[in-house]
Amino acid sequence: MDHLSVSQINLYLLCGLKYKFQYIDNLPRPFRSSALVMGSAFHSTLAYYHQQKKDGNDVSHETLYRIFDSDWYAQTIDTEIRYKEREQELTLKSQGKEFLNLYTLDFKGEVEAYEVPFRIPIILSSNGTQHTIPFEGFIDLVETHDTLVEFKTSGQTMSAHDVHTHLQLTAYSYVYQTLHRKLPQKIKLINFVKGRKPKMVTFETKREQQDFEAFLYVVRKVVEGIQSEVFIPHQGYWCKDCEYASHCPLGANLKRIAS
């Protein structure tokens, strides 16, 4: 394990065996989920929009739509896209463009940086010894006045509790403090909710030192589990859309869950 990310941590906590298939065994994915396609196209388009805003330029909705469509198309070349039950490509693309409308019409912030890459060392202590592991990722948006912004799409509106305990927001706040020697003044999570009438819900939260201590504890336990080769499968609704279902020893149960 040469580095760790929020995605890796979340996947290991969701299903240790899927983590192994993806990050240890490097098994090829036979398809790409519609959620990943939507997320990639949407984030790419937002990155372009924030670049233009930072440079002081206006950008039309038509231009954003073309970028969104181009990114979507690029992801479908030579790759099967797996849609959930009752999902359709045209409907999802329409929702993504409506999200862009909602966000750009509402945006009043000042862009400090966007798609901010980071790589910091996290010091882990175990059994009286210390070692470091690089922690990597990207912060979606940093606005002026030390404001972190993350974008999430979901099938239903996130709860305030989910936002206040969101691992990614804690991790990125920790990263920001490590890099800038100060806490972010504000953390925003903008939740784009899919449905017949797409909507955008903005949450605000903060993090404190005790949150960072809990985050580092989780990181330590995840690293210990990976290094000890503890990869426990965890069944749930996510199994229906798992790219590695054919490799899972619980395959019979997965078919029952999907039916």
Side-chain angles (χ1 to χ4, degrees):
M1 181 171 52
D2 58 354
H3 75 279
L4 199 63
S5 68
V6 169
S7 296
Q8 291 180 34
I9 294 171
N10 282 332
L11 183 56
Y12 183 83
L13 295 174
L14 179 71
C15 178
L17 187 58
K18 183 173 181 179
Y19 173 91
K20 179 178 182 293
F21 289 153
Q22 183 166 330
Y23 291 106
I24 305 297
D25 300 334
N26 295 312
L27 296 181
R29 298 182 182 185
F31 62 87
R32 187 172 176 84
S33 72
S34 59
L36 287 177
V37 175
M38 165 74 94
S40 176
F42 188 60
H43 276 77
S44 294
T45 310
L46 285 180
Y48 174 83
Y49 173 76
H50 292 136
Q51 176 188 352
Q52 297 305 308
K53 296 299 288 186
K54 183 174 175 59
D55 293 342
N57 301 325
D58 292 327
V59 56
S60 68
H61 286 160
E62 289 72 21
T63 297
L64 296 178
Y65 296 162
R66 287 198 296 271
I67 293 171
F68 182 84
D69 284 336
S70 296
D71 190 279
W72 189 292
Y73 174 75
Q75 295 184 73
T76 64
I77 298 175
D78 298 327
T79 303
E80 177 191 348
I81 307 303
R82 182 74 57 86
Y83 294 90
K84 295 181 179 179
E85 187 177 357
R86 292 189 293 275
E87 273 190 345
Q88 294 182 350
E89 178 179 341
L90 185 61
T91 302
L92 284 179
K93 291 173 73 173
S94 177
Q95 288 176 342
K97 292 173 183 178
E98 181 59 25
F99 290 154
L100 292 170
N101 287 342
L102 292 170
Y103 179 73
T104 55
L105 290 173
D106 182 75
F107 182 76
K108 298 179 179 62
E110 295 182 46
V111 177
E112 184 74 26
Y114 58 91
E115 290 292 308
V116 183
F118 63 80
R119 180 183 173 93
I120 66 167
I122 290 184
I123 301 174
L124 302 174
S125 300
S126 179
N127 299 323
T129 62
Q130 286 189 341
H131 67 282
T132 62
I133 184 168
F135 185 64
E136 299 181 358
F138 290 85
I139 298 174
D140 286 345
L141 177 66
V142 179
E143 295 180 352
T144 53
H145 309 298
D146 301 308
T147 299
L148 302 186
V149 186
E150 285 297 313
F151 306 103
K152 295 294 177 187
T153 58
S154 61
Q156 58 184 11
T157 307
M158 298 177 66
S159 70
H161 176 268
D162 288 341
V163 174
H164 294 320
T165 59
H166 202 281
L167 181 70
Q168 185 174 15
L169 299 183
T170 304
Y172 289 1
S173 298
Y174 176 79
V175 168
Y176 192 85
Q177 182 195 53
T178 301
L179 294 174
H180 300 283
R181 306 302 180 191
K182 58 182 176 180
L183 286 168
Q185 293 300 305
K186 186 185 299 183
I187 307 166
K188 294 196 295 187
L189 188 147
I190 302 180
N191 183 201
F192 298 94
V193 187
K194 294 179 283 188
R196 291 186 177 180
K197 186 175 182 181
K199 62 180 180 178
M200 182 182 79
V201 182
T202 300
F203 296 91
E204 292 189 6
T205 185
K206 286 189 174 184
R207 293 295 188 270
E208 301 175 351
Q209 293 302 323
Q210 62 187 22
D211 299 307
F212 300 152
E213 292 172 7
F215 165 67
L216 293 174
Y217 176 82
V218 171
V219 171
R220 184 169 71 251
K221 292 304 179 182
V222 167
V223 171
E224 288 176 359
I226 294 171
Q227 291 179 337
S228 300
E229 299 186 355
V230 178
F231 302 115
I232 301 172
H234 182 201
Q235 292 178 307
Y237 66 87
W238 49 84
C239 296
K240 294 188 295 184
D241 302 308
C242 181
E243 305 95 319
Y244 307 108
S246 62
H247 299 277
C248 184
L250 305 181
N253 284 336
L254 296 182
K255 292 179 181 179
R256 177 177 56 80
I257 290 172
S259 62

